[in-house]
Amino acid sequence: MEEMTYKLCFYVPVSHVEQVKQAIFQAGAGHIGDYDCCAFQVLGHGQFRPLDGSQPFLGQQGEVEVVEEYRVETIVTAACLQAAISALRLAHPYEEPAIDLWKLEPLPA
């Protein structure tokens, strides 16, 4: 039986993309067959407005901030999932990083 696999997607400012990718790869994410450090990334613009009580890495409370960010997608097995997400959160500069997670179905033979 195949191990459960997930697609992990997150958004990270340009300044920290390599740091965060290396952290999740060291935690076991990004393995596909005989390859490691597998990921796809695309540059775009993210936006957010820090609210009262926040401690933003970028921007000021009450003001919308637009920043160049990468959307990074990779694969992670169930066995490495918690470690990869913990590593992502520790390496990411935002106090509330945007993270998406999808459970993947096995590909047909």
Side-chain angles (χ1 to χ4, degrees):
M1 182 172 185
E2 269 187 58
E3 183 175 11
M4 183 61 62
T5 305
Y6 296 85
K7 178 171 278 191
L8 175 63
C9 174
F10 58 92
Y11 303 82
V12 60
V14 173
S15 61
H16 287 73
V17 67
E18 292 304 320
Q19 171 182 318
V20 176
K21 285 192 311 186
Q22 289 310 308
I24 65 168
F25 294 153
Q26 288 176 6
H31 283 266
I32 300 175
D34 292 333
Y35 297 84
D36 71 357
C37 298
C38 299
F40 176 80
Q41 64 190 47
V42 63
L43 187 60
H45 293 92
Q47 77 170 50
F48 51 88
R49 180 173 55 195
L51 301 176
D52 289 343
S54 65
Q55 297 178 6
F57 171 72
L58 297 168
Q60 302 295 319
Q61 288 181 349
E63 295 181 24
V64 173
E65 179 73 19
V66 177
V67 62
E68 279 193 322
E69 295 177 323
Y70 277 103
R71 173 187 167 122
V72 180
E73 298 180 17
T74 192
I75 299 297
V76 62
T77 61
C80 298
L81 183 60
Q82 187 60 55
I85 291 175
S86 294
L88 190 162
R89 290 184 188 279
L90 285 172
H92 202 291
Y94 295 170
E95 62 183 332
E96 298 291 343
I99 302 170
D100 299 327
L101 186 66
W102 296 279
K103 188 183 299 185
L104 300 178
E105 293 292 326
L107 293 174

